[in-house]
Amino acid sequence: MSAFAASAQYSPAQVNPEFAQAVAGGLTRKGQKALPPSWFYDEVGSALFEVITVLPEYGLTRAEAGLLSKTADKMMAEIVRASGRPALVIELGSGTGTKTRHILAATACYGSVRYLPVDISSAALDSCVKILGAMHNVSIHPIESTYLDGIDLALAHRKAGEPALLLFLGSTIGNFNRGETASFLGHIRKRMLPGDYLLLGADLVKPRAKLLSAYDDPIGVTAAFNLNLLARINRELDGHFEISQFAHEARYNERQSRIEMHLRSRIAQEVRIGELGLTIPFSAGETIWTESSHKFRVEEISRIGRRGGWSCVRQWVDGEWGFAETLFQNAPGPK
Ligand code: AVI
């Protein structure tokens, strides 16, 4: 692609100041260049992620959907018996909400439900409304926001005495730094009331080869998902990345039990980003770290929740792929 072709797609009307700031900060920092994974999900990235979820090598989403379809009715009966019907279901990083259907259907059996998906991607929220919009007894109120602000906005919909159920599915918790997970769950809990629930989906540690093919699939969908971040910079920030001069790379860090995704510069090059007024130098082989995807042990998940102040109610495990769904409650007690 020529520099002209790269900037020809650029549309100045699209500049998002937070994206501009994240790119400028991540590409000019000393040492390892990095971009936060939350910026993967523009319209193209969200569509590519949907394709990833049906790849034979990426069993995560299928495993979670299978677990939820088997357990949602029993889980909801247990919640209703203990605390009453959760008329408010909030989901963080909802994506298109496909796997959420099982939970909503089980909840809607007991009466009407207000479903509040929270996502920073308007594209993901649009398809969530399309996919789940026609469910019986379910009204959808999408919230385009970061997670913590989104929870506050969503909880403003609570009527007195209603328990809320917060969903954090798809192992998005794995995209946080390990040191931040317990404190993030603690920040969530402090926003909620005693008796509220959290359902957390987390991918489990599994053999290196299985993980590497899940994050470096043979037909290159994950590579396209990763490289789209550079294409997004071209489109939205007048970037001049030659996409073919970067390669997708997935590494497994055994010590940290995490997949690390990088974009490797194939040559020494300089890349101009017009909207930022920056020219970014790359040495041959240098990488931009774009995502960490942590994998957990079952007992580690309940421990992290407890460190965030939650009580573990129950866990369900899919042993075939290796995925766990954990139901926590914000038990009454000291805040
Ligand atoms: C959204 N998140 C949990 C996915 C994951 O597995 O970490 C994103 C993803 N990255 C590459 N493939 C899928």
Side-chain angles (χ1 to χ4, degrees):
M1 190 191 285
S2 69
F4 172 75
S7 62
Q9 302 166 6
Y10 161 64
S11 155
Q14 281 180 324
V15 173
N16 169 339
E18 283 156 8
F19 181 47
Q21 202 181 4
V23 172
L27 297 186
T28 57
R29 63 194 274 200
K30 281 212 179 81
Q32 175 69 60
K33 292 180 171 69
L35 291 170
S38 53
W39 298 106
F40 279 138
Y41 302 93
D42 67 347
E43 201 177 349
V44 178
S46 297
L48 287 167
F49 179 65
E50 284 310 300
V51 182
I52 288 176
T53 65
V54 295
L55 288 173
E57 293 80 13
Y58 191 83
L60 190 157
T61 312
R62 270 186 305 281
E64 178 163 56
L67 259 186
L68 291 177
S69 78
K70 276 189 229 141
T71 56
D73 289 344
K74 274 181 245 144
M75 181 193 309
M76 202 47 64
E78 193 168 329
I79 291 177
V80 171
R81 212 177 314 118
S83 314
R85 179 172 69 90
L88 206 64
V89 177
I90 304 165
E91 182 167 13
L92 299 185
S94 60
T96 58
T98 320
K99 52 201 176 311
T100 315
R101 177 178 292 278
H102 304 292
I103 302 285
L104 291 178
T107 316
C109 284
Y110 297 90
S112 62
V113 187
R114 295 190 305 291
Y115 170 54
L116 301 111
V118 176
D119 208 299
I120 56 161
S121 161
S122 58
L125 289 171
D126 287 348
S127 39
C128 175
V129 172
K130 263 187 226 140
I131 289 171
L132 299 173
M135 284 188 77
H136 174 66
N137 259 355
V138 177
S139 62
I140 307 191
H141 309 268
I143 297 178
E144 190 178 333
S145 168
T146 56
Y147 293 153
L148 294 180
D149 290 348
I151 294 177
D152 291 338
L153 292 167
L155 287 171
H157 289 245
R158 188 204 294 266
K159 292 182 190 145
E162 280 180 345
L165 168 63
L166 183 76
L167 308 176
F168 196 25
L169 305 177
S171 203
T172 303
I173 189 77
N175 298 136
F176 283 61
N177 291 331
R178 241 201 182 87
E180 293 170 359
T181 48
S183 69
F184 178 71
L185 296 183
H187 287 306
I188 290 178
R189 191 187 62 78
K190 287 194 185 112
R191 289 170 153 75
M192 304 194 68
L193 292 179
D196 285 344
Y197 288 89
L198 164 69
L199 182 65
L200 182 70
D203 202 21
L204 301 180
V205 172
K206 48 185 65 66
R208 165 190 289 267
K210 195 169 171 180
L211 281 170
L212 285 174
S213 66
Y215 289 84
D216 195 4
D217 62 276
I219 62 169
V221 183
T222 311
F225 172 73
N226 198 7
L227 289 161
N228 176 57
L229 202 44
L230 303 183
R232 181 175 184 180
I233 297 172
N234 287 352
R235 289 191 294 267
E236 296 187 25
L237 300 176
D238 190 21
H240 292 258
F241 281 98
E242 277 213 38
I243 307 300
S244 61
Q245 297 299 358
F246 286 83
H248 165 68
E249 199 171 287
R251 309 172 183 167
Y252 186 53
N253 180 331
E254 196 110 38
R255 216 164 48 88
Q256 299 284 346
S257 306
R258 70 179 178 215
I259 285 282
E260 297 167 358
M261 292 210 316
H262 289 253
L263 290 162
R264 174 178 294 284
S265 177
R266 296 182 192 273
I267 54 169
Q269 56 184 319
E270 288 190 337
V271 179
R272 169 121 192 103
I273 305 178
E275 198 59 55
L276 304 180
L278 289 172
T279 299
I280 311 291
F282 290 90
S283 52
E286 185 179 1
T287 71
I288 308 171
W289 189 347
T290 52
E291 186 181 64
S292 294
S293 193
H294 292 85
K295 307 300 164 187
F296 301 88
R297 294 176 203 288
V298 177
E299 59 289 356
E300 184 186 357
I301 303 166
S302 44
R303 203 168 52 236
I304 292 168
R306 277 198 297 275
R307 286 205 344 253
W310 294 91
S311 306
C312 180
V313 178
R314 195 177 287 275
Q315 282 190 303
W316 296 267
V317 174
D318 167 88
E320 204 181 317
W321 169 260
F323 194 91
E325 214 64 73
T326 307
L327 183 66
F328 292 101
Q329 189 176 28
N330 184 13
K335 271 260 165 190

